[in-house]
Amino acid sequence: MRPDLLQFNGNSIYCPLADVHIDPSIPVDRAIITHAHSDHAKPGSRHYLAHKDSEAILRQRLGQDISLQTVEYGERFTINGVNFSLHPAGHIIGSAQVRVARNDMVWVASGDYKLEDDHFSTPFEPVKCNVFISESTFGLPIYKWEPQEKIFNSIQAWHSKNKQEGKVSLLLGYALGKMQRILKNMQMENETIFAHGAVYYCNERLRQAGFDLPQLTLVTKDMDKKLFKNALVLAPPSANGSPWLKKFTPFSMGYCSGWMRVRGAKTRRAVDQGFVLSDHADWDGLNAAIKNTGAEKVFVTHGFTSVFSRWLNENNMEATEVITMYGKEDESEESIPGEQDSIKPEV
């Protein structure tokens, strides 16, 4: 019997023929990383490979001196007779699907993905394959996203209302992914945008790597509160409920997440305004992506795996749910450089 090109070993998606691990949760000799979120990019491996747009953040989070090879989208490379290439996933900057091929068999590990073009990361590209490994973070029919333009108009209307009422607009979202999407899509000309350290240092690292992003102003402990009057302040979810918030009173807190689609999520997170904005595919997006691969079999990893795999099977698509370590990209666990760790221009 021909062995599967990819296997699930509890710690990674493993290619035994090439002896390569995709997004391992433990240190390995060779790791291919789909993107730089903390649940997919773990420290300690001997050698990493990722898309070139992930390099700046991977080195920031895993260590400046890690052994890292980068490739372009579509660039083919061979390891022990197995052909690999990375293709756009549209999730965050540098996110990639991993295409693994040998003879007439093609597998694709999607990592995390979304279909809507966020105007910063390279848009999702369907890749034809025999077997597709898909996430299902929002794999329930209730999760259907409105066009992002409508969401950003709502955010700007909320910010305008706050300014009229003399309030700071405190907007929460993941430092990597969500915040760059917000900065690329909101019209904030001639307005100073303040940021929590986690957001600021992530943004600066990307700016120094050559990405077109606006300059943010780092919030420091000795800043005069008057500077924040009517301003927009960007922060990670971990800021919610922290003493750091006191310097912005009075403020209105908004939260950007796909989970805001469910009534009650806003209340549970104790925010004033929820914005349904996700960097993952919604229900329709998941189904469209899978259909466009032409895959004969689907493995469903993190998210609503049992519901989504059952749906696929009931609709004539062979699908199996797999338990993985992914799906916990909690930015509150990310280390935040201290103010003394000033970003210096790279030579």
Side-chain angles (χ1 to χ4, degrees):
M1 178 180 291
R2 182 171 54 187
D4 287 342
L5 268 181
L6 296 177
Q7 300 175 357
F8 304 92
N9 61 17
N11 294 312
S12 72
I13 300 172
Y14 179 58
C15 180
L17 293 175
D19 191 22
V20 172
H21 300 258
I22 299 174
D23 292 348
S25 62
I26 60 173
V28 298
D29 281 341
R30 288 185 290 187
I32 296 177
I33 304 300
T34 60
H35 64 284
H37 272 148
S38 60
D39 58 332
H40 290 257
K42 300 289 187 181
S45 288
R46 183 178 178 185
H47 181 72
Y48 295 91
L49 184 145
H51 186 264
K52 66 180 184 63
D53 288 349
S54 291
E55 179 171 6
I57 300 301
L58 285 176
R59 290 193 183 279
Q60 182 187 44
R61 293 184 168 186
L62 303 183
Q64 191 63 34
D65 297 327
I66 59 171
S67 173
L68 173 63
Q69 176 186 350
T70 62
V71 296
E72 300 276 0
Y73 289 126
E75 180 180 339
R76 300 206 172 187
F77 53 97
T78 301
I79 305 174
N80 295 342
V82 180
N83 297 315
F84 293 83
S85 55
L86 303 185
H87 301 265
H91 176 54
I92 62 170
I93 190 69
S95 60
Q97 305 171 80
V98 183
R99 182 183 185 272
V100 186
R102 189 170 188 269
N103 299 328
D104 60 347
M105 181 60 60
V106 178
W107 287 53
V108 171
S110 69
D112 290 328
Y113 63 92
K114 70 172 181 295
L115 273 60
E116 186 173 31
D117 181 359
D118 62 18
H119 303 140
F120 187 60
S121 55
T122 303
F124 178 87
E125 172 191 299
V127 182
K128 295 295 183 182
C129 58
N130 304 98
V131 182
F132 186 60
I133 301 173
S134 177
E135 63 145 308
S136 61
T137 302
F138 292 103
L140 291 179
I142 190 175
Y143 293 110
K144 295 187 180 181
W145 312 145
E146 294 183 306
Q148 64 183 359
E149 182 180 4
K150 183 174 181 179
I151 304 303
F152 287 115
N153 286 341
S154 296
I155 294 174
Q156 290 191 247
W158 166 75
H159 181 39
S160 295
K161 180 175 180 290
N162 291 337
K163 287 195 287 186
Q164 292 172 5
E165 296 175 355
K167 295 179 180 178
V168 172
S169 297
L170 186 63
L171 191 59
L172 307 183
Y174 286 148
L176 176 60
K178 199 83 73 208
M179 288 306 171
Q180 291 76 51
R181 188 177 182 184
I182 289 168
L183 291 169
K184 292 297 288 187
N185 286 276
M186 285 187 67
Q187 305 299 317
M188 298 292 293
E189 294 181 8
N190 302 318
E191 185 170 340
T192 300
I193 304 174
F194 294 92
H196 181 282
V199 176
Y200 174 83
Y201 287 108
C202 182
N203 198 66
E204 279 304 291
R205 185 56 63 100
L206 290 169
R207 278 168 46 83
Q208 289 187 2
F211 294 103
D212 180 22
L213 290 166
Q215 174 74 56
L216 299 177
T217 298
L218 176 65
V219 174
T220 61
K221 61 184 178 182
D222 56 350
M223 275 186 168
D224 189 332
K225 282 186 59 174
K226 294 178 182 178
L227 291 173
F228 306 124
K229 182 176 175 60
N230 299 338
L232 175 65
V233 179
L234 305 179
S238 59
N240 193 358
S242 71
W244 183 81
L245 299 180
K246 294 179 181 179
K247 57 173 63 72
F248 307 113
T249 306
F251 63 82
S252 176
M253 185 186 296
Y255 191 100
C256 293
S257 172
W259 302 115
M260 293 295 109
R261 177 66 181 82
V262 178
R263 186 172 298 175
K266 180 168 72 74
T267 302
R268 289 197 301 274
R269 293 186 180 271
V271 297
D272 302 302
Q273 185 71 48
F275 300 103
V276 184
L277 186 71
S278 176
D279 291 325
H280 295 265
D282 64 0
W283 173 261
D284 290 339
L286 290 169
N287 281 280
I290 289 170
K291 181 180 179 180
N292 289 335
T293 66
E296 303 147 15
K297 182 175 178 60
V298 176
F299 286 98
V300 182
T301 58
H302 49 299
F304 291 98
T305 54
S306 60
V307 174
F308 192 56
S309 59
R310 184 168 67 247
W311 159 264
L312 292 173
N313 280 304
E314 290 172 350
N315 285 271
N316 302 314
M317 170 64 72
E318 183 183 354
T320 302
E321 65 172 310
V322 179
I323 297 175
T324 63
M325 72 298 295
Y326 312 126
K328 298 178 181 179
E329 55 198 46
D330 186 352
E331 295 292 320
S332 67
E333 296 178 0
E334 297 295 345
S335 60
I336 301 168
E339 293 174 9
Q340 72 277 12
D341 297 324
S342 59
I343 299 291
K344 296 179 175 63
E346 296 180 1
V347 179

